[in-house]
Amino acid sequence: MIHAYKMHGENIVLDVNSGAVHVLDDTAYAVLQCYDQNGTLDQEKLKRLTQFEPSALDEAVQEIEALKENHLLFTHDPYEEFIPLWTKQTVVKALCLHIAHDCNLRCSYCFAGTGEYLGARSLMSLEVGKKAIDFLIENSGNRRNLEVDFFGGEPLMNFDVVKEIVRYAREREKEAQKNFRFTITTNVLLLDEDKRNFINEHMHNVVLSLDGRKEINDEVRRRVDGSGCYDRIVPLAKKMVEERKGENYYVRGTFTRKNLDFGADVLHLADLGFEQISVEPVVANKDSGLDIRHEDLDIACQEYERLAKEYVERRKNGQWFNFFHFMVDLEGGPCVAKRLRGCGSGTEYLAVTPEGDLYPCHQFVGQKEFLLGNVFQGLNNNPVRETFVETNVYTKPECNTCWAKFYCSGGCAANAWQFNKDIKVPYDIGCALEKKRVECALWIKSQEAEQE
Amino acid sequence: MLWYQMDMEVYKMKHIKTINFSTLNKDVKKAGCGECQTSCQSACKTSCTVANQKCERK
């Protein structure tokens, strides 16, 4: 399978199964359109390319055939025999700890309501936190690297427990022969010096929430009294990044259908001096007025293309920044086994509520049919977990035939459930945006390859 | 003239420039150690992006 597309005057083709990427001139691109997905050339179509010199067409055909012979174009899928090995029941290696089901912001798009998810406001106790660490160690088999994300609601509202959980995990990791990596996702409001110091000392990564331009951010990210949070957050986030020496952080925003010109928000964050930026589409209810709709897709996709162009320009001209969704590591990225299964929700990645209940991920929390157990009693053999185990890009019809399957890994199960009530049927709006981001990422690679 | 050579950084072709060679299907037999980061923990928390993750073995 191949995916050929045009962007900003460049003709790009991705060979899906090998990961090879080529840039074609107009002649070769026209010739490539004469091939079917199996790599068979339609001579009749080729004869109709009368606008090109016959000798150039011959050269282009020769070059495409050479790529085929060298397994760089129209390659077959060599992974099928390995799928049973890669998709068997796995260990748990990552937990999202819901340290606080409470929040000091009232963001209108939040999937957690006002921080409480579908339950009551509550804080995780140290007892539950310690038990979660025990659960992770006990269920991680031989896996050495374990991850714990402190999440909410707002985890800084229960930071003493965060500190104690980190200390407990550090105590246990040596005898258990594990390596804990902690991360925290925060809205920044309570990020005082003491908390910053602790995070900088102990957290592998920190995600700082900020949506971009002040008017955009403050429209949706409001405090309990209705006021915006931009003016408080920006200096604190800058301080945090400075103290972390600009490493291992993301400023992360959300865009909605109210700011489909979200590229301006990404660039605003870059203008503020942030170099690690993630801004992604909201996943909101259909009646929220914020959700991205089918009729918005053209505008959003054009915005990604515009942003990609500006991104290349800035990176070339000394204004380097990194946009999470344009990152693609073509040479050293994850193995195909990882790419088949994506985030691992419900299998190797679970969320823990303040009460210790286990769910497939943070976005499933509170939906009782997805309750997978409790850190005190362990996993409960809920058959729904089996569905997560067997879900991968080959078991989802839409993904199996999609050119982007090894880049998005099948999309988000929670989104699939929210919109289609089936974790094997991906959220089509998310798919369209993800495919555009991958196209942009490959185009960016083509431009940066030219500069080298 | 040798116009196509596997070991070269860039193929010497007139109409096509290769910017990435076959990478996905390398080391297939060693794939799946599972030591890499859980993608949703890194920066998104609402969407799934995997291709930008790192392999722990590289």
Side-chain angles (χ1 to χ4, degrees):
Chain A
M1 188 193 302
I2 64 163
H3 175 60
Y5 66 100
K6 288 175 176 280
M7 187 179 289
H8 296 312
E10 208 79 271
N11 306 314
I12 296 174
V13 59
L14 165 72
D15 183 54
V16 173
N17 291 320
S18 70
V21 182
H22 315 281
V23 177
L24 286 67
D25 69 9
D26 289 341
T27 311
Y29 192 75
V31 170
L32 189 68
Q33 308 305 311
C34 301
Y35 281 80
D36 67 16
Q37 278 290 352
N38 295 317
T40 306
L41 177 60
D42 184 333
Q43 294 288 351
E44 292 305 313
K45 278 189 183 173
L46 188 67
K47 281 179 192 164
R48 289 197 287 273
L49 297 180
T50 51
Q51 68 272 44
F52 298 101
E53 288 290 324
S55 60
L57 292 175
D58 286 347
E59 287 166 0
V61 169
Q62 263 190 307
E63 293 183 13
I64 289 170
E65 292 297 323
L67 292 180
K68 280 169 60 179
E69 281 168 30
N70 283 276
H71 311 293
L72 292 166
L73 203 58
F74 297 113
T75 55
H76 294 293
D77 185 334
Y79 311 120
E80 208 160 350
E81 64 177 295
F82 297 98
I83 293 170
L85 187 68
W86 293 337
T87 55
K88 62 185 179 188
Q89 179 80 41
T90 186
V91 297
V92 180
K93 68 173 189 180
L95 291 182
C96 178
L97 294 191
H98 290 225
I99 288 297
H101 271 189
D102 198 359
C103 193
N104 44 7
L105 284 182
R106 295 291 180 267
C107 306
S108 43
Y109 48 51
C110 187
F111 56 77
T114 58
E116 79 284 18
Y117 288 77
L118 299 174
R121 294 191 187 283
S122 55
L123 301 177
M124 182 177 283
S125 67
L126 179 56
E127 185 193 11
V128 168
K130 283 181 169 178
K131 204 68 196 165
I133 297 296
D134 294 341
F135 170 86
L136 181 53
I137 290 172
E138 285 160 17
N139 287 275
S140 59
N142 293 328
R143 208 62 54 88
R144 177 171 154 71
N145 293 319
L146 304 181
E147 297 157 41
V148 174
D149 187 41
F150 296 105
F151 199 65
E154 173 48 44
L156 298 190
M157 293 176 79
N158 192 18
F159 200 67
D160 287 342
V161 168
V162 171
K163 286 178 171 176
E164 290 306 316
I165 292 171
V166 169
R167 287 200 184 99
Y168 179 70
R170 289 282 180 240
E171 274 170 29
R172 286 220 57 199
E173 72 180 349
K174 277 187 187 161
E175 46 95 5
Q177 296 185 311
K178 303 292 181 186
N179 176 39
F180 275 100
R181 287 174 180 163
F182 299 104
T183 57
I184 190 162
T185 304
T186 174
N187 67 25
V188 185
L189 278 179
L190 298 175
L191 201 55
D192 61 26
E193 187 178 358
D194 174 59
K195 295 186 183 75
R196 293 200 304 274
N197 288 343
F198 187 87
I199 289 169
N200 288 337
E201 190 176 344
H202 296 283
M203 305 281 174
H204 182 67
N205 191 41
V206 56
V207 179
L208 309 165
S209 298
L210 176 62
D211 281 356
R213 293 165 290 181
K214 178 177 161 71
E215 64 275 21
I216 297 297
N217 183 83
D218 286 355
E219 175 67 24
V220 282
R221 299 186 65 79
R222 296 185 183 190
R223 299 191 212 213
V224 179
D225 66 5
S227 63
C229 61
Y230 178 96
D231 290 336
R232 163 101 182 144
I233 286 172
V234 169
L236 283 175
K238 281 184 173 181
K239 210 168 184 58
M240 181 86 199
V241 170
E242 187 187 317
E243 289 169 359
R244 287 179 80 79
K245 300 183 173 51
E247 292 174 356
N248 299 321
Y249 77 94
Y250 272 99
V251 169
R252 185 216 176 278
T254 299
F255 73 85
T256 74
R257 76 185 310 257
K258 298 264 178 82
N259 63 315
L260 292 172
D261 60 343
F262 57 88
D265 294 289
V266 174
L267 297 176
H268 178 77
L269 294 173
D271 289 339
L272 288 173
F274 298 115
E275 291 188 332
Q276 301 292 341
I277 299 168
S278 165
V279 173
E280 61 181 71
V282 71
V283 181
N285 294 329
K286 281 177 185 164
D287 55 0
S288 66
L290 300 172
D291 55 307
I292 312 291
R293 301 174 191 173
H294 288 101
E295 61 262 35
D296 301 329
L297 285 176
D298 281 350
I299 298 170
C301 288
Q302 285 166 21
E303 187 65 8
Y304 276 124
E305 289 194 19
R306 263 197 298 274
L307 178 60
K309 200 165 191 178
E310 178 68 15
Y311 186 71
V312 168
E313 280 303 308
R314 287 197 177 204
R315 284 161 65 100
K316 190 169 67 180
N317 296 320
Q319 293 173 282
W320 188 93
F321 72 97
N322 180 44
F323 182 54
F324 181 76
H325 291 288
F326 285 166
M327 283 166 69
V328 57
D329 187 347
L330 291 176
E331 290 174 11
C335 62
V336 174
K338 168 87 168 178
R339 292 168 188 256
L340 295 183
R341 301 182 56 168
C343 68
S345 64
T347 59
E348 59 186 25
Y349 169 54
L350 301 174
V352 185
T353 70
E355 295 72 33
D357 289 340
L358 297 162
Y359 284 92
C361 85
H362 52 289
Q363 291 196 76
F364 283 103
V365 161
Q367 301 183 60
K368 294 297 180 194
E369 64 269 45
F370 288 98
L371 180 64
L372 299 181
N374 187 283
V375 293
F376 294 97
Q377 291 92 38
L379 292 162
N380 64 5
N381 297 319
N382 182 341
V384 77
R385 189 157 185 249
E386 197 52 41
T387 313
F388 284 90
V389 172
E390 65 190 29
T391 298
N392 61 69
V393 294
Y394 287 92
T395 58
K396 294 194 269 191
E398 283 85 354
C399 300
N400 197 7
T401 54
C402 177
W403 64 267
K405 61 187 170 189
F406 295 131
Y407 298 84
C408 90
S409 304
C412 170
N415 297 354
W417 177 256
Q418 182 183 341
F419 287 91
N420 300 319
K421 288 290 174 261
D422 186 344
I423 65 169
K424 291 185 178 175
V425 181
Y427 169 48
D428 59 350
I429 289 176
C431 291
L433 296 172
E434 174 68 21
K435 282 192 264 194
K436 179 50 68 179
R437 292 192 293 256
V438 175
E439 285 188 345
C440 288
L442 297 179
W443 176 80
I444 290 163
K445 286 286 178 194
S446 76
Q447 300 306 294
E448 296 189 339
E450 262 177 30
Q451 292 163 23
E452 284 168 5
Chain B
M1 188 180 94
L2 185 64
W3 59 277
Y4 185 89
Q5 193 174 320
M6 279 302 287
D7 296 334
M8 290 170 71
E9 277 293 307
V10 178
Y11 288 98
K12 295 295 181 193
M13 295 199 283
K14 279 173 73 174
H15 301 279
I16 303 175
K17 180 180 173 186
T18 296
I19 60 169
N20 190 60
F21 291 80
S22 303
T23 45
L24 286 188
N25 48 17
K26 281 183 182 167
D27 299 329
V28 170
K29 288 178 182 168
K30 293 180 190 166
C33 78
E35 292 290 352
C36 51
Q37 190 182 22
T38 303
S39 54
C40 208
Q41 299 279 55
S42 55
C44 52
K45 298 303 270 193
T46 60
S47 77
C48 192
T49 302
V50 164
N52 53 18
Q53 304 290 309
K54 285 180 183 160
C55 172
E56 289 285 335
R57 286 175 166 172
K58 291 172 184 165

